[in-house]
Amino acid sequence: EDVERASGTANQGEGPYADEPTRHPALIKNSETPCNAEPPLNLLADNFLTPNGIFFIRNHLPVPRVDKQSYRLHIQVPGKEEPVSLSLDELKTKFRPVKVTATLQCAGNRRNELNSVEKVKGLTWGSAAISTAEWKGVRLRDVLTYAGLPESSFLNFDDPYATQHEQDSQTVRHICFEGLDKDPEGKGYGASIPVSKAMNPCGDVILAYEMNGEELPRDHGFPLRVVAPGHVGARNVKWLSKIVASPQESDSHWQKNDYKGFCPSTTWDTIDWDSSPPIQEAPVTSAICDPEPHAIVDRDDEEITLRGYSWSGGGRNVIRVDVSADGGKTWEVAELDEKAKKQPNGQAWAWVPWEANVKIPKDLKFDKEGKAELELCCKATDSSYNTQPESPASVWNLRGVLNNSFHR
Amino acid sequence: EDVERASGTANQGEGPYADEPTRHPALIKNSETPCNAEPPLNLLADNFLTPNGIFFIRNHLPVPRVDKQSYRLHIQVPGKEEPVSLSLDELKTKFRPVKVTATLQCAGNRRNELNSVEKVKGLTWGSAAISTAEWKGVRLRDVLTYAGLPESSFLNFDDPYATQHEQDSQTVRHICFEGLDKDPEGKGYGASIPVSKAMNPCGDVILAYEMNGEELPRDHGFPLRVVAPGHVGARNVKWLSKIVASPQESDSHWQKNDYKGFCPSTTWDTIDWDSSPPIQEAPVTSAICDPEPHAIVDRDDEEITLRGYSWSGGGRNVIRVDVSADGGKTWEVAELDEKAKKQPNGQAWAWVPWEANVKIPKDLKFDKEGKAELELCCKATDSSYNTQPESPASVWNLRGVLNNSFHR
Ligand SMILES: [Mo]
Ligand SMILES: [Mo]
């Protein structure tokens, strides 16, 4: 399948969804309006950089139609009377362009496996709500410095619990983003990241206008989006219209009352959204992309080749992926992609593809046709030696986010 | 038991171990020469700052006898002809003193549980090879800058695999430490940390000469030790004699051929030390300190109070601890220490003590005396939403490091 050339069909939405972009036919849609779609898992493993056409799409609202010429980015920094306003041309010429290769993952990736424990609330994502691109844009740090935020602001560490303290203080601790995608009341999608990430010289947060060498596609935030590498997809605000440097985090629904994890025992009756910090950095994860975890083998097969991805948030690199054909009783070490595994630790923003030739277990029980089902699974370890939990039950949460249990 | 006042007895060692310091009688020794000892787990839970006398001791070699007056710290930076040499007084007066409250944990903490899966190599630590102190000293960053290393060196990210590249380059990527504790051939203990940690303005690495308001005790590195908060104990070199800024990591045994994790299937026949990066940041962990996980309860008991610790490496804060009295089938959320949980995320160097009143499961089977054994366990989640694996089997490794499975 040529994912680059296939042109797809335009979405036949209505009302606010009447002007959605054309989408690649290979995408598997979890919802049409807004569009939420992921590629087939085996296609994902074919490329280190996911082709734009099959890069997973996670929209919360209708895709806005943005005019490149009249587009302005507004930036507010406390203590500055006038907000700064920049055209796309000004952004591209006033600041040095940089490229960052980064993986984005939806917090809901692999939610389907949580439903097998107990039903959760949310779109039923498979394991492909994750993709990688080379993003081109300008450093958020440069833009904020230009707008008057001191370069040393990255030292203002985030304290997720000190709400009162933050309200009393004028210290900038969060960078809030707003998108041009509007809800029925006209409020845009919003999210924020800590200033310690946004202004950090090692944080590599950019405002991107290109994706894999092409102008940013409409589904991915044309003409400008945030790429906050190592952070969950939801903070990488698309169709960016406004940046506010603030003592407080975004008051958006998606920051305050969504995209948070909870104890497996927390219910919709007992949930206290303020008790959990918003998801920012993502935990270590991995998946087998090809074949399916319950692959069928023949009596004559001696080994099977697996391909998959591994990734960790916060710039932590993956140092090892272990694979098993017997449900985790015995393990073999996968071969990590040579180039990806050499990403500098602390700035390892892209996933690490892996491959493994796994021996077929000798004690497998074959049926009359000489077939047997494998119990494939994988787990990754990152540079902080964090690993994945064995089962979805222990990370189960009512909102169904961040399932990073063994992929099986 | 008054851990502050108890004086203990001098160690009656011989040969190189004839001059060991006096140790607190409450310490449980895993080895006498070198001294490796941990406090009783329930004592550990009594204090946020572990009293010096019962702070776990992890020595690799005999404790050196150091004369404060003649002590010198030597610092080598490439491109500088003369190494810098500083007396203790010079260190204390040339640089601004700072205090950092940080937890140190031995990589071998909780090794005993791995032995229940399959025997590992190493000292049989329980769950108390972890302690917390307020350290006072000077910033390593300030000292290295004084010695001629550019302040921006923290941007030279570590690439654990690019050995050849590093050998070819003159770029400083590691800060190597050497201790005054010598092996029989006269070689001191050694270790290194990435320059991205050592020189980072947010890294908080200090050279400490005080511990909880007292002069550094001999067992903890008198007169000067490294405190690299968020990193495994082994990198916090004691009795510090020499610092070398280098393109390469320390060539010490403890850096190259120890303190590394491996796949559960790796054996002493197949081990390739170079295939794993040295442990630096530690993964998220937690433990029940009081009562024992297999506590006995009466038929009349309605709930039981648990106390424990939780901690994560890399400055990541603990955001939640879940506890269970039925082996992980159902969970309750523990109360985190109010002050500790407010540590700024990214610089949360100290552990987070917790307490929980857990309901006794109703379906417990009581014996004739009306007693039953609980299956207590706990697991923590950190600010990157990393969690602990369920069982020691999946993190089992032949060297027995970094067991952070559910504590039970
Ligand atoms: Mo998401
Ligand atoms: Mo250690």
Side-chain angles (χ1 to χ4, degrees), chain A residues 155 157-159 161 202 261-263 265 277 279 281-284 316 319-320 322 331 333 341-342 344-345 347 379 384-387 389-391 394 402 406, chain B residues 155 157-159 161 202 261-263 265 277 279 281-284 316 319-320 322 331 333 341-342 344-345 347 379 384-387 389-391 394 402 406:
Chain A
L155 292 162
F157 272 86
D158 174 33
D159 179 348
Y161 293 97
C202 314
F262 291 92
C263 175
S265 64
I279 300 167
E281 292 182 4
V284 60
R316 291 176 287 280
I319 62 164
R320 202 181 73 242
D322 300 331
W331 297 95
V333 179
K341 82 174 193 184
K342 286 182 181 162
N345 186 28
Q347 293 187 310
K379 65 179 172 86
S384 65
Y385 278 89
N386 273 298
T387 59
E390 284 95 320
S391 74
S394 76
L402 298 180
F406 291 6
Chain B
L155 292 162
F157 272 85
D158 175 33
D159 180 349
Y161 294 96
C202 313
F262 291 91
C263 174
S265 64
I279 300 167
E281 293 182 4
V284 60
R316 292 176 286 280
I319 63 165
R320 201 181 75 241
D322 299 332
W331 296 96
V333 179
K341 83 175 192 183
K342 285 182 180 161
N345 186 26
Q347 294 186 309
K379 64 180 172 86
S384 65
Y385 279 89
N386 272 299
T387 60
E390 285 94 321
S391 73
S394 77
L402 297 179
F406 290 8

Coordinates of all heavy atoms in Angstrom, one line a residue, chain A residues 155 157-159 161 202 261-263 265 277 279 281-284 316 319-320 322 331 333 341-342 344-345 347 379 384-387 389-391 394 402 406, chain B residues 155 157-159 161 202 261-263 265 277 279 281-284 316 319-320 322 331 333 341-342 344-345 347 379 384-387 389-391 394 402 406:
Chain A
L155 N 13.7 28.0 35.5 CA 14.0 27.6 36.9 C 12.8 27.7 37.8 O 12.8 27.3 39.0 CB 15.1 28.5 37.4 CG 16.5 28.2 36.7 CD1 17.5 29.4 37.0 CD2 17.1 26.9 37.2
F157 N 10.0 26.2 39.0 CA 9.5 24.8 38.9 C 8.0 24.8 39.2 O 7.5 25.5 40.0 CB 10.3 23.9 39.8 CG 11.4 23.3 39.0 CD1 12.6 23.9 39.0 CD2 11.3 22.1 38.3 CE1 13.7 23.4 38.3 CE2 12.3 21.6 37.6 CZ 13.5 22.2 37.6
D158 N 7.4 23.9 38.6 CA 5.9 23.7 38.7 C 5.7 23.0 40.0 O 6.3 22.0 40.4 CB 5.5 22.8 37.6 CG 4.0 22.4 37.7 OD1 3.3 23.2 38.3 OD2 3.7 21.3 37.3
D159 N 4.7 23.4 40.7 CA 4.2 22.7 41.9 C 2.7 22.4 41.8 O 1.9 23.3 41.9 CB 4.4 23.6 43.2 CG 4.0 23.0 44.4 OD1 3.2 21.9 44.3 OD2 4.3 23.5 45.5
Y161 N 0.4 21.1 43.3 CA -0.5 21.1 44.4 C -0.7 22.5 45.0 O -1.7 22.8 45.7 CB -0.1 20.2 45.5 CG -0.2 18.7 45.1 CD1 1.0 18.1 44.7 CD2 -1.4 18.0 45.1 CE1 0.9 16.8 44.3 CE2 -1.4 16.7 44.7 CZ -0.3 16.1 44.3 OH -0.3 14.8 43.9
C202 N 17.0 22.7 27.2 CA 17.1 21.3 26.8 C 15.7 20.8 26.4 O 15.6 19.6 26.1 CB 17.7 20.4 27.9 SG 19.2 21.0 28.6
G261 N -4.7 10.7 35.6 CA -4.8 9.3 36.0 C -5.3 9.2 37.4 O -5.2 10.2 38.2
F262 N -5.9 8.1 37.7 CA -6.4 7.8 39.1 C -6.2 6.4 39.5 O -5.8 5.5 38.7 CB -7.9 8.2 39.1 CG -8.2 9.6 38.9 CD1 -8.4 10.2 37.7 CD2 -8.2 10.5 40.0 CE1 -8.6 11.5 37.5 CE2 -8.4 11.8 39.9 CZ -8.6 12.4 38.6
C263 N -6.4 6.2 40.8 CA -6.3 4.8 41.4 C -7.3 3.9 40.7 O -8.4 4.4 40.4 CB -6.5 5.0 42.9 SG -6.6 3.4 43.8
S265 N -9.4 2.1 42.0 CA -10.6 2.0 42.8 C -11.4 3.3 42.7 O -12.6 3.4 43.2 CB -10.3 1.7 44.3 OG -9.6 2.8 44.8
P277 N -2.4 15.4 39.4 CA -1.9 16.4 38.5 C -2.2 16.0 37.0 O -2.3 14.8 36.7 CB -0.4 16.3 38.7 CG -0.2 14.9 39.3 CD -1.4 14.5 40.0
I279 N -1.6 15.0 33.2 CA -0.5 14.2 32.6 C 0.3 15.2 31.8 O -0.2 16.0 31.0 CB -1.1 13.1 31.7 CG1 -2.0 12.2 32.4 CG2 0.0 12.4 30.9 CD1 -2.9 11.3 31.6
E281 N 4.6 14.5 31.2 CA 5.5 13.4 30.6 C 4.8 12.1 30.6 O 4.0 11.8 31.5 CB 6.8 13.3 31.5 CG 7.7 14.5 31.4 CD 8.9 14.4 32.2 OE1 9.2 13.3 32.7 OE2 9.7 15.3 32.2
A282 N 5.1 11.3 29.6 CA 4.4 10.0 29.5 C 5.3 8.9 30.0 O 6.6 9.0 30.0 CB 4.1 9.7 28.0
P283 N 4.7 7.8 30.5 CA 5.6 6.7 31.0 C 6.1 5.8 29.9 O 5.6 5.9 28.7 CB 4.6 5.9 31.9 CG 3.2 6.2 31.3 CD 3.3 7.6 30.7
V284 N 7.0 4.9 30.2 CA 7.7 4.1 29.2 C 6.6 3.1 28.6 O 5.8 2.6 29.4 CB 8.9 3.3 29.8 CG1 8.5 2.5 31.0 CG2 9.6 2.5 28.8
R316 N 13.5 10.6 28.0 CA 14.3 9.4 28.4 C 14.3 8.4 27.3 O 13.3 8.2 26.6 CB 13.6 8.7 29.7 CG 13.7 9.6 30.9 CD 12.9 9.0 32.1 NE 11.5 9.2 32.0 CZ 10.8 10.3 32.2 NH1 11.5 11.4 32.6 NH2 9.5 10.4 32.1
I319 N 16.3 1.8 26.7 CA 17.6 1.1 26.7 C 17.4 -0.4 26.4 O 18.4 -1.0 26.0 CB 18.3 1.3 28.1 CG1 17.5 0.6 29.2 CG2 18.6 2.7 28.4 CD1 18.3 0.4 30.5
R320 N 16.2 -0.9 26.5 CA 16.1 -2.4 26.2 C 14.6 -2.7 26.0 O 13.7 -2.1 26.6 CB 16.6 -3.2 27.4 CG 17.0 -4.6 27.0 CD 17.5 -5.4 28.2 NE 16.4 -5.8 29.1 CZ 16.3 -5.4 30.4 NH1 17.2 -4.6 30.9 NH2 15.3 -5.7 31.1
D322 N 12.3 -6.3 25.9 CA 12.3 -7.7 26.1 C 11.1 -8.3 25.4 O 10.0 -7.7 25.6 CB 12.3 -8.1 27.6 CG 13.5 -7.5 28.3 OD1 14.6 -7.4 27.7 OD2 13.4 -7.3 29.5
W331 N 12.2 -14.7 28.3 CA 12.3 -13.4 27.6 C 13.6 -13.5 26.7 O 14.5 -14.1 27.0 CB 12.5 -12.2 28.5 CG 11.3 -12.0 29.4 CD1 11.2 -12.4 30.7 CD2 10.2 -11.2 29.1 NE1 10.0 -12.0 31.2 CE2 9.3 -11.2 30.2 CE3 9.7 -10.5 27.9 CZ2 8.1 -10.6 30.3 CZ3 8.5 -9.8 28.0 CH2 7.7 -9.9 29.1
V333 N 16.0 -10.6 24.2 CA 16.3 -9.1 24.0 C 16.1 -8.8 22.6 O 16.7 -9.4 21.7 CB 17.7 -8.7 24.5 CG1 17.9 -7.3 24.3 CG2 17.8 -9.1 26.0
K341 N 18.3 4.3 18.9 CA 18.8 4.1 20.2 C 20.0 5.0 20.6 O 20.3 5.1 21.8 CB 19.2 2.6 20.4 CG 20.6 2.2 19.9 CD 20.8 0.7 20.3 CE 22.3 0.3 20.1 NZ 22.5 -1.1 20.3
K342 N 20.5 5.7 19.6 CA 21.6 6.6 19.9 C 21.2 8.0 20.2 O 22.0 8.9 20.3 CB 22.6 6.6 18.8 CG 23.5 5.3 18.8 CD 24.5 5.3 17.7 CE 25.3 4.0 17.8 NZ 26.0 3.7 16.5
P344 N 20.4 11.2 22.2 CA 21.0 11.6 23.4 C 20.0 11.4 24.6 O 18.8 11.9 24.4 CB 21.4 13.0 23.2 CG 20.7 13.5 22.0 CD 20.4 12.3 21.2
N345 N 20.4 10.8 25.6 CA 19.5 10.6 26.8 C 19.2 11.9 27.4 O 20.0 12.7 27.7 CB 20.2 9.7 27.8 CG 19.3 9.3 28.9 OD1 18.0 9.3 28.7 ND2 19.8 9.0 30.0
Q347 N 17.1 13.9 25.8 CA 16.5 14.5 24.6 C 16.1 13.4 23.6 O 16.2 13.7 22.4 CB 17.5 15.5 24.0 CG 17.7 16.8 24.9 CD 18.5 17.8 24.2 OE1 19.6 17.6 23.6 NE2 18.0 19.1 24.2
K379 N 7.9 -5.8 26.6 CA 8.1 -4.7 27.6 C 9.4 -4.0 27.4 O 10.4 -4.6 27.0 CB 8.0 -5.3 29.0 CG 9.2 -6.2 29.4 CD 9.1 -6.8 30.8 CE 10.2 -7.8 31.1 NZ 11.4 -7.3 31.6
S384 N 15.8 5.6 32.9 CA 15.7 5.7 34.3 C 15.4 4.3 34.9 O 15.0 4.2 36.1 CB 14.6 6.7 34.7 OG 13.3 6.2 34.3
Y385 N 15.5 3.3 34.1 CA 15.2 1.9 34.5 C 13.7 1.7 35.0 O 13.4 0.9 35.7 CB 16.2 1.4 35.5 CG 17.5 0.9 34.9 CD1 18.5 1.8 34.6 CD2 17.6 -0.4 34.5 CE1 19.7 1.3 34.0 CE2 18.8 -0.9 33.8 CZ 19.8 0.0 33.6 OH 21.0 -0.5 33.0
N386 N 12.8 2.7 34.5 CA 11.4 2.4 34.7 C 11.0 1.3 33.7 O 11.6 1.2 32.6 CB 10.6 3.6 34.5 CG 10.5 4.4 35.8 OD1 9.9 3.9 36.8 ND2 11.0 5.6 35.9
T387 N 10.0 0.5 34.0 CA 9.6 -0.6 33.2 C 8.1 -0.5 33.1 O 7.4 0.3 33.8 CB 10.0 -2.0 33.7 OG1 9.4 -2.1 35.0 CG2 11.5 -2.1 33.8
P389 N 4.2 -2.2 33.7 CA 3.5 -3.1 34.6 C 3.0 -4.3 33.8 O 2.7 -4.1 32.6 CB 2.4 -2.3 35.2 CG 2.2 -1.2 34.2 CD 3.5 -0.9 33.5
E390 N 2.9 -5.4 34.4 CA 2.5 -6.7 33.7 C 1.1 -6.6 33.1 O 0.9 -7.0 32.0 CB 2.6 -7.9 34.6 CG 4.0 -8.4 34.9 CD 4.5 -7.8 36.2 OE1 4.3 -6.6 36.4 OE2 5.2 -8.5 36.9
S391 N 0.1 -6.1 33.9 CA -1.3 -6.3 33.5 C -2.0 -4.9 33.5 O -1.7 -4.0 34.2 CB -2.0 -7.2 34.4 OG -2.2 -6.6 35.6
S394 N -3.6 -3.2 37.0 CA -3.0 -2.4 38.0 C -2.9 -1.0 37.6 O -2.7 -0.1 38.4 CB -1.6 -3.0 38.4 OG -0.7 -2.7 37.4
L402 N -3.2 6.2 29.6 CA -1.8 5.7 29.9 C -1.7 4.3 30.3 O -1.1 3.9 31.2 CB -1.2 6.6 31.0 CG -1.0 8.1 30.7 CD1 -0.3 8.8 31.8 CD2 -0.2 8.3 29.4
F406 N 2.4 -4.5 29.8 CA 3.0 -5.4 28.8 C 2.0 -5.4 27.6 O 0.8 -5.6 27.8 CB 3.1 -6.8 29.3 CG 4.2 -7.0 30.3 CD1 4.8 -6.0 30.9 CD2 4.5 -8.3 30.7 CE1 5.8 -6.2 31.9 CE2 5.4 -8.6 31.7 CZ 6.1 -7.5 32.3
Chain B
L155 N 24.5 21.3 28.3 CA 23.9 21.0 27.1 C 24.5 19.8 26.3 O 24.0 19.4 25.3 CB 23.8 22.3 26.2 CG 22.9 23.4 26.7 CD1 23.2 24.7 26.1 CD2 21.4 23.0 26.5
F157 N 24.7 16.5 25.9 CA 24.0 15.4 26.4 C 24.8 14.1 26.3 O 25.5 13.9 25.3 CB 22.6 15.3 25.7 CG 21.6 16.1 26.4 CD1 21.4 17.4 26.1 CD2 20.8 15.5 27.4 CE1 20.5 18.1 26.8 CE2 19.9 16.2 28.0 CZ 19.7 17.5 27.8
D158 N 24.5 13.2 27.2 CA 25.1 11.9 27.3 C 24.6 11.0 26.2 O 23.4 11.0 26.0 CB 24.8 11.4 28.6 CG 25.3 10.0 28.8 OD1 26.4 9.6 28.2 OD2 24.7 9.2 29.5
D159 N 25.4 10.3 25.5 CA 25.0 9.3 24.6 C 25.7 8.0 25.0 O 26.8 7.7 24.8 CB 25.4 9.7 23.2 CG 25.0 8.6 22.2 OD1 24.6 7.5 22.6 OD2 25.1 8.9 21.0
Y161 N 25.7 5.0 24.2 CA 26.2 4.0 23.2 C 27.4 4.5 22.3 O 28.0 3.7 21.7 CB 25.1 3.6 22.3 CG 24.0 2.8 23.1 CD1 22.9 3.5 23.5 CD2 24.2 1.5 23.4 CE1 21.9 2.8 24.2 CE2 23.2 0.8 24.1 CZ 22.1 1.5 24.5 OH 21.1 0.8 25.2
C202 N 19.4 23.1 37.2 CA 18.3 22.4 37.9 C 18.7 21.1 38.5 O 17.9 20.4 39.2 CB 17.1 22.2 37.0 SG 16.6 23.6 36.0
G261 N 21.4 -2.9 34.7 CA 20.3 -3.9 34.7 C 20.4 -4.7 33.4 O 20.9 -4.2 32.4
F262 N 19.7 -5.9 33.5 CA 19.7 -6.7 32.3 C 18.4 -7.4 32.2 O 17.6 -7.4 33.2 CB 20.8 -7.8 32.4 CG 22.2 -7.2 32.2 CD1 22.9 -6.7 33.3 CD2 22.7 -7.0 31.0 CE1 24.2 -6.1 33.2 CE2 24.0 -6.4 30.8 CZ 24.7 -5.9 31.9
C263 N 18.1 -8.1 31.1 CA 16.9 -8.9 30.8 C 16.9 -10.1 31.8 O 18.0 -10.6 32.1 CB 17.0 -9.3 29.4 SG 15.7 -10.5 28.9
S265 N 16.5 -13.0 31.2 CA 17.1 -14.2 30.7 C 18.6 -14.1 30.5 O 19.2 -15.1 30.2 CB 16.5 -14.5 29.3 OG 16.8 -13.4 28.4
P277 N 23.4 0.5 29.7 CA 24.0 1.8 30.2 C 24.0 1.7 31.8 O 23.2 1.0 32.4 CB 23.0 2.8 29.8 CG 21.7 2.1 29.6 CD 22.1 0.7 29.2
I279 N 23.4 2.5 35.6 CA 22.2 3.1 36.3 C 22.5 4.5 36.7 O 23.6 4.7 37.3 CB 21.8 2.2 37.5 CG1 21.4 0.8 37.1 CG2 20.6 2.9 38.2 CD1 21.4 -0.2 38.3
E281 N 19.6 7.7 36.9 CA 18.3 7.9 37.6 C 17.6 6.6 38.0 O 17.7 5.6 37.3 CB 17.3 8.7 36.6 CG 17.8 10.1 36.3 CD 16.8 10.8 35.4 OE1 15.7 10.3 35.1 OE2 17.1 12.0 35.1
A282 N 16.9 6.7 39.1 CA 16.3 5.5 39.6 C 14.8 5.5 39.3 O 14.2 6.5 39.2 CB 16.5 5.4 41.2
P283 N 14.2 4.3 39.1 CA 12.8 4.2 38.8 C 11.9 4.4 40.1 O 12.4 4.4 41.2 CB 12.6 2.7 38.3 CG 13.7 2.0 39.0 CD 14.9 2.9 39.2
V284 N 10.6 4.6 39.9 CA 9.7 4.9 41.0 C 9.6 3.6 41.9 O 9.6 2.5 41.4 CB 8.3 5.3 40.4 CG1 7.7 4.2 39.5 CG2 7.4 5.7 41.5
R316 N 11.6 13.4 39.8 CA 10.2 13.2 39.6 C 9.5 13.0 40.9 O 10.0 12.3 41.7 CB 9.9 12.0 38.6 CG 10.4 12.3 37.2 CD 10.2 11.1 36.3 NE 11.2 10.1 36.6 CZ 12.5 10.1 36.1 NH1 12.9 11.1 35.4 NH2 13.3 9.1 36.4
I319 N 3.1 11.1 42.8 CA 1.8 11.8 42.8 C 0.8 10.9 43.5 O -0.3 11.5 43.9 CB 1.4 12.1 41.4 CG1 1.2 10.8 40.5 CG2 2.3 13.1 40.7 CD1 0.4 11.1 39.3
R320 N 1.0 9.6 43.7 CA 0.0 8.8 44.3 C 0.6 7.5 44.8 O 1.5 7.0 44.1 CB -1.1 8.5 43.4 CG -2.5 8.1 44.0 CD -3.5 7.8 43.0 NE -3.3 6.5 42.4 CZ -3.1 6.3 41.0 NH1 -3.1 7.4 40.2 NH2 -2.9 5.1 40.6
D322 N -0.9 3.8 46.1 CA -2.1 2.9 46.2 C -1.7 1.8 47.2 O -0.6 1.2 47.0 CB -2.5 2.3 44.9 CG -2.9 3.4 43.9 OD1 -3.4 4.5 44.3 OD2 -2.8 3.2 42.7
W331 N -7.8 -1.6 45.8 CA -6.8 -0.6 46.2 C -7.5 0.6 46.9 O -8.6 0.9 46.7 CB -6.1 0.0 45.0 CG -5.3 -1.0 44.2 CD1 -5.7 -1.7 43.1 CD2 -4.0 -1.5 44.5 NE1 -4.7 -2.6 42.7 CE2 -3.6 -2.4 43.5 CE3 -3.0 -1.1 45.4 CZ2 -2.4 -3.1 43.5 CZ3 -1.8 -1.8 45.4 CH2 -1.5 -2.7 44.4
V333 N -6.3 4.7 48.3 CA -5.3 5.8 48.1 C -4.7 6.2 49.4 O -5.4 6.5 50.3 CB -5.8 7.0 47.3 CG1 -4.8 8.1 47.1 CG2 -6.4 6.6 46.0
K341 N 5.0 16.1 49.5 CA 4.3 16.0 48.2 C 4.3 17.3 47.5 O 4.0 17.4 46.3 CB 2.9 15.4 48.3 CG 1.8 16.4 48.7 CD 0.4 15.7 48.7 CE -0.7 16.7 48.8 NZ -2.0 16.1 48.9
K342 N 4.6 18.4 48.2 CA 4.7 19.7 47.5 C 6.1 20.0 47.0 O 6.3 21.2 46.6 CB 4.2 20.8 48.5 CG 2.7 20.7 48.7 CD 2.2 21.8 49.6 CE 0.7 21.7 49.8 NZ 0.2 22.4 51.0
P344 N 8.8 20.7 44.4 CA 8.6 21.1 43.0 C 8.9 19.9 42.1 O 10.0 19.2 42.2 CB 9.6 22.2 42.8 CG 10.5 22.2 43.9 CD 9.8 21.5 45.1
N345 N 8.0 19.6 41.2 CA 8.3 18.5 40.2 C 9.4 18.8 39.3 O 9.5 19.9 38.7 CB 7.0 18.3 39.4 CG 7.1 17.1 38.5 OD1 7.9 16.2 38.9 ND2 6.4 17.1 37.4
Q347 N 12.4 18.7 40.7 CA 13.4 18.8 41.7 C 12.9 18.2 43.0 O 13.2 18.6 44.1 CB 13.8 20.3 42.0 CG 14.5 20.9 40.8 CD 15.0 22.3 41.1 OE1 14.2 23.2 41.6 NE2 16.2 22.6 40.8
K379 N 2.0 0.3 45.8 CA 2.6 0.7 44.6 C 2.5 2.2 44.4 O 1.5 2.8 44.8 CB 2.0 0.0 43.3 CG 0.5 0.4 43.1 CD 0.0 -0.3 41.9 CE -1.5 -0.1 41.7 NZ -1.9 1.1 41.0
S384 N 5.7 11.3 36.0 CA 5.7 10.9 34.6 C 4.7 9.8 34.4 O 4.6 9.2 33.4 CB 7.1 10.5 34.2 OG 7.5 9.3 34.9
Y385 N 3.9 9.5 35.4 CA 2.9 8.4 35.4 C 3.6 7.0 35.2 O 2.9 6.1 34.7 CB 1.8 8.7 34.5 CG 0.7 9.6 35.0 CD1 0.8 11.0 34.9 CD2 -0.4 9.1 35.7 CE1 -0.2 11.8 35.5 CE2 -1.4 9.9 36.3 CZ -1.3 11.3 36.1 OH -2.2 12.1 36.7
N386 N 4.8 7.0 35.5 CA 5.4 5.6 35.6 C 4.9 5.0 36.9 O 4.7 5.6 37.9 CB 7.0 5.7 35.6 CG 7.5 5.7 34.2 OD1 7.3 4.7 33.4 ND2 8.2 6.7 33.8
T387 N 4.8 3.6 36.9 CA 4.3 2.9 38.0 C 5.3 1.7 38.3 O 6.2 1.5 37.5 CB 2.9 2.3 37.8 OG1 3.0 1.5 36.6 CG2 1.9 3.5 37.6
P389 N 6.1 -2.4 38.6 CA 5.7 -3.7 38.0 C 5.2 -4.5 39.2 O 5.6 -4.4 40.3 CB 6.9 -4.3 37.4 CG 8.1 -3.6 38.1 CD 7.6 -2.3 38.5
E390 N 4.2 -5.4 38.8 CA 3.6 -6.2 39.9 C 4.5 -7.2 40.6 O 4.5 -7.3 41.8 CB 2.4 -7.1 39.3 CG 1.2 -6.3 38.9 CD 1.2 -5.9 37.5 OE1 2.2 -5.5 37.0 OE2 0.1 -5.9 36.8
S391 N 5.3 -7.9 39.9 CA 6.1 -9.0 40.5 C 7.6 -8.8 40.3 O 8.0 -8.3 39.3 CB 5.7 -10.3 39.9 OG 6.2 -10.4 38.6
S394 N 9.5 -10.0 36.7 CA 9.6 -9.3 35.4 C 10.8 -8.4 35.4 O 11.3 -7.9 34.4 CB 8.3 -8.6 35.0 OG 8.1 -7.5 35.7
L402 N 17.7 -2.7 41.4 CA 16.5 -2.0 41.1 C 15.2 -2.8 41.1 O 14.4 -2.7 40.1 CB 16.7 -1.2 39.7 CG 17.8 -0.2 39.7 CD1 17.9 0.4 38.3 CD2 17.6 0.9 40.7
F406 N 5.8 -4.2 43.1 CA 4.9 -3.9 44.3 C 5.6 -4.4 45.5 O 6.1 -5.6 45.6 CB 3.6 -4.7 44.1 CG 2.7 -4.3 43.0 CD1 3.1 -3.3 42.1 CD2 1.4 -4.8 42.9 CE1 2.2 -2.9 41.1 CE2 0.6 -4.5 41.9 CZ 1.0 -3.5 41.0

